[in-house]
Amino acid sequence: VEENRAKYRAKFDTAEKVLEDRFGYYRPGGGFFLWLDVGNGEEAALKLWTEAGVRVQPGAFMARPDDTGNNPGAPYIRVALVHETDVIEKALKRLVKVLR
């Protein structure tokens, strides 16, 4: 368990270094997902896949529209930090380049 925690600390350290304060980045208290505010999660996910080869989940896919039809997840993408740290760093750098 300690070894796994150390690996995720390193992954979040990398995300913090690459993303800085972009896209509303904050270091979560647990888990292995980042929720980044990109304005339109579906458009960003498609752009990241086609232009950078980075696969993320649109936030709208993880939420339901409220009574007014507003989907609270729509502006976000969900990024899973599940690969090795070097792969995460490369992918996040491509994400920043494509979405800036």
Side-chain angles (χ1 to χ4, degrees):
V1 171
E2 287 304 318
E3 182 180 331
N4 204 30
R5 286 181 180 165
K7 286 180 181 181
Y8 276 99
R9 274 192 297 276
K11 292 174 185 189
F12 280 108
D13 290 346
T14 298
E16 205 165 290
K17 178 180 77 173
V18 173
L19 296 173
E20 298 171 339
D21 61 352
R22 295 178 185 97
F23 313 114
Y25 172 79
Y26 68 93
R27 188 179 191 124
F32 53 86
F33 293 116
L34 300 178
W35 287 87
L36 303 178
D37 186 345
V38 294
N40 182 319
E42 289 186 54
E43 285 180 9
L46 181 59
K47 185 173 180 132
L48 285 168
W49 180 240
T50 59
E51 295 181 24
V54 174
R55 193 174 354 172
V56 299
Q57 183 78 34
F61 291 12
M62 307 304 293
R64 297 167 78 178
D66 63 17
D67 293 339
T68 67
N70 180 50
N71 186 319
Y76 298 94
I77 56 173
R78 186 181 77 167
V79 180
L81 300 182
V82 294
H83 291 285
E84 296 302 318
T85 305
D86 62 326
V87 174
I88 290 168
E89 182 174 12
K90 290 174 189 174
L92 290 176
K93 284 180 178 179
R94 292 194 316 259
L95 180 149
V96 168
K97 183 178 179 182
V98 168
L99 296 183
R100 63 175 137 171

